Amino acid sequence: MEFIVNNESMTLELGSKLGSLLNKGDIICLNGDLGTGKTHFAKGIAKGLLIDEYITSPTFNIVNEYTGRLKLYHFDVYRVNDPDEIYAIGFDEYIFSDAVSIIEWSSYIEELIPDEHISISIEKLPSRGIDFRKIVINHVGDRYNYIEGITL
Ligand SMILES: Nc1ncnc2c1ncn2[C@@H]1O[C@H](COP(=O)(O)OP(=O)(O)OP(=O)(O)O)[C@@H](O)[C@H]1O
Ligand SMILES: [Mg+2]
């Protein structure tokens, strides 16, 4: 599924719609260049999970933890130099749990990502305008068929 958004609020709204549908143990991979809006999309997901806490980028601590309707682990693996580093923090115990896991820059640790997951890629559309983004949502695994009805 592909969505064109033209401001930050629309990205939050789409994230929130996804977040409100998520189930225990769901894994969401977020990829896209620096500053495309991955963390804003994650903020939307958190809103949809009824998390009241302020979501900050976990770049320096790799993972932040929140609790709403479900538990949320928000990873940013941009600064991870070697997948072994993230493996060492007990990555598997986080992602194979009842929590929802969001992983920014998951492509950096592709070999650690389970086959079945939701993947979101965000791209700037500079020719359309500074705040325009193309957000593509895909999934592997029937357990995620429920996302197919999302509309903006
Ligand atoms: N349509 C949009 N959706 C999301 N963010 C937007 C949009 N238009 C402009 N922005 C701006 O782009 C920036 C996105 O920042 P954000 O931290 O969410 O990106 P990121 O992809 O997580 O970056 P990083 O790779 O550094 O983690 C914010 O400053 C936001 O205000
Ligand atoms: Mg970010």
Side-chain angles (χ1 to χ4, degrees), residues 5-12 30-43 57-59 74 76 78-79 104-105 122 124 129-135:
V5 299
N6 59 23
N7 60 57
E8 195 185 290
S9 311
M10 284 177 84
T11 300
L12 287 168
L30 280 169
N31 289 288
D33 288 345
L34 281 169
T36 44
K38 299 181 292 301
T39 299
H40 276 74
F41 194 92
K43 284 180 194 211
S57 176
T59 300
H74 179 201
D76 184 327
Y78 182 68
R79 269 158 224 278
E104 290 190 40
W105 295 99
I122 311 182
K124 290 189 183 180
I130 187 166
D131 293 340
F132 274 76
R133 306 286 190 267
K134 181 167 89 175
I135 302 179

Side-chain angles (χ1 to χ4, degrees), residues 61-145:
N61 33 330
I62 299 181
V63 61
N64 287 340
E65 195 174 322
Y66 306 92
T67 307
R69 175 172 75 74
L70 296 171
K71 204 165 191 184
L72 170 66
Y73 297 128
H74 179 201
F75 292 85
D76 184 327
V77 299
Y78 182 68
R79 269 158 224 278
V80 171
N81 299 309
D82 183 329
D84 281 350
E85 238 174 75
I86 184 116
Y87 189 74
I89 69 162
F91 188 65
D92 280 1
E93 277 138 68
Y94 285 101
I95 59 165
F96 296 114
S97 71
D98 280 348
V100 166
S101 294
I102 301 176
I103 306 136
E104 290 190 40
W105 295 99
S106 70
S107 59
Y108 283 14
I109 56 161
E110 212 159 8
E111 56 270 58
L112 300 181
I113 304 293
D115 290 343
E116 298 203 347
H117 63 267
I118 296 172
S119 65
I120 318 272
S121 69
I122 311 182
E123 199 186 306
K124 290 189 183 180
L125 297 174
S127 62
R128 310 251 330 242
I130 187 166
D131 293 340
F132 274 76
R133 306 286 190 267
K134 181 167 89 175
I135 302 179
V136 179
I137 306 182
N138 281 310
H139 69 94
V140 177
D142 288 345
R143 64 173 288 174
Y144 295 116
N145 286 348

Side-chain angles (χ1 to χ4, degrees), residues 2-68:
E2 203 175 291
F3 300 88
I4 305 291
V5 299
N6 59 23
N7 60 57
E8 195 185 290
S9 311
M10 284 177 84
T11 300
L12 287 168
E13 176 69 17
L14 186 60
S16 174
K17 284 189 168 168
L18 174 62
S20 66
L21 298 174
L22 292 172
N23 298 311
K24 282 183 175 180
D26 284 354
I27 297 168
I28 300 103
C29 294
L30 280 169
N31 289 288
D33 288 345
L34 281 169
T36 44
K38 299 181 292 301
T39 299
H40 276 74
F41 194 92
K43 284 180 194 211
I45 291 177
K47 188 171 165 232
L49 288 170
L50 309 179
I51 291 166
D52 297 325
E53 264 173 284
Y54 188 72
I55 307 297
T56 54
S57 176
T59 300
F60 295 97
N61 33 330
I62 299 181
V63 61
N64 287 340
E65 195 174 322
Y66 306 92
T67 307

